[in-house]
Amino acid sequence: MKTTDKIIQLLKLHGPLTAKTLAEELALTTMGVRQHLQTLEDVGDVDIEDRVEGRGRPTRYWRLTEQSRSHFADRHEELTVQLIDSVKMIFGDQGLDKLIDYREQSALVQYRAAMEGATDIPTRLDILAKLRSNEGYMATMEHIDGVYFLLENHCPICAAATKCLNFCRSELQLFQQLFADIAVVSREEHIIEGARRCAYKIEAIHH
């Protein structure tokens, strides 16, 4: 484990500490620890808090910033996969499908409300891309040779979707329902199948 990682672990466990305490814990010189702390401060993982303790100069404490959280892996992907397995085991495939349908229907209501009054493809698609980006899909809209595309560069539910492709099927159906009156939606690229992104093609229906 790198020294900087050890420092982060110690600050996570004990709260703000002085360089002297950290040096004792890690069996390093205070000077050595200060260099590591400086590195962490430069990247934004720690900052300084000077505390007045009795007489004399304040004591300098080092503490973790919000940004340091990225070092502590979230286990929610594992939890999601376990929950999917549990739902299947207790309620069967049918139970899982019900759950996915419910998620799809509630998203449909929410998205439709946001799209109220948007009658053309670009306006509706722009709203959809913003909604999806807020949910972590890093979505953008593109217009190539008269055809519109919704590009999702990240899949926050990738672990769940890999475990259960019905999540992906449900998202495609959701988009199809949102554009049913004006366009046909098809999925052209799929992260789950090894593509770099999910790409949805939105083609106008010519009445």
Side-chain angles (χ1 to χ4, degrees):
M1 204 173 166
K2 292 204 316 242
T3 307
T4 47
D5 289 338
K6 285 182 188 163
I7 290 172
I8 288 173
Q9 293 292 131
L10 285 167
L11 294 175
K12 184 80 167 171
L13 289 169
H14 304 291
L17 295 171
T18 62
K20 188 166 170 279
T21 310
L22 283 164
E24 285 163 10
E25 283 282 338
L26 297 164
L28 294 167
T29 63
T30 309
M31 202 56 215
V33 164
R34 283 215 176 93
Q35 281 174 329
H36 289 297
L37 285 165
Q38 191 56 60
T39 307
L40 286 170
E41 190 184 14
D42 291 343
V43 295
D45 283 331
V46 301
D47 62 13
I48 295 160
E49 180 188 346
D50 286 333
R51 294 183 191 173
V52 179
E53 295 175 341
R55 284 211 204 107
R57 288 215 324 247
T59 311
R60 174 152 290 184
Y61 280 82
W62 296 83
R63 60 182 179 196
L64 292 179
T65 60
E66 273 291 304
Q67 188 198 299
S68 69
R69 280 193 184 165
S70 62
H71 292 276
F72 303 93
D74 277 324
R75 302 298 283 273
H76 61 257
E77 286 210 346
E78 254 171 73
L79 175 65
T80 307
V81 170
Q82 285 168 0
L83 282 172
I84 290 171
D85 284 339
S86 305
V87 169
K88 269 189 181 168
M89 205 173 287
I90 300 165
F91 303 106
D93 284 338
Q94 224 179 337
L96 187 57
D97 286 341
K98 261 189 183 167
L99 191 72
I100 294 171
D101 284 345
Y102 175 76
R103 182 175 177 266
E104 185 183 320
Q105 288 312 311
S106 53
L108 187 63
V109 171
Q110 186 201 333
Y111 290 4
R112 275 203 175 132
M115 289 174 182
E116 209 178 335
T119 51
D120 58 6
I121 294 174
T123 318
R124 220 177 271 187
L125 193 52
D126 185 49
I127 296 166
L128 181 60
K130 288 192 176 87
L131 289 167
R132 298 293 285 177
S133 283
N134 289 342
E135 291 174 27
Y137 288 88
M138 294 170 74
T140 56
M141 163 182 145
E142 273 190 23
H143 189 219
I144 307 157
D145 299 332
V147 179
Y148 286 95
F149 286 90
L150 173 71
L151 304 174
E152 297 190 333
N153 295 295
H154 179 67
C155 178
I157 64 157
C158 203
T162 308
K163 186 79 189 158
C164 175
L165 283 168
N166 286 359
F167 277 104
C168 296
R169 201 192 65 216
S170 169
E171 305 214 312
L172 178 58
Q173 281 170 209
L174 170 64
F175 298 159
Q176 285 168 339
Q177 288 180 74
L178 289 169
F179 288 91
D181 55 330
I182 52 173
V184 175
V185 180
S186 56
R187 189 190 284 118
E188 303 292 303
E189 292 177 50
H190 201 184
I191 287 178
I192 301 301
E193 287 168 7
R196 190 185 60 76
R197 60 190 186 184
C198 285
Y200 297 88
K201 189 175 176 185
I202 296 98
E203 288 179 282
I205 300 168
H206 299 294
H207 293 296

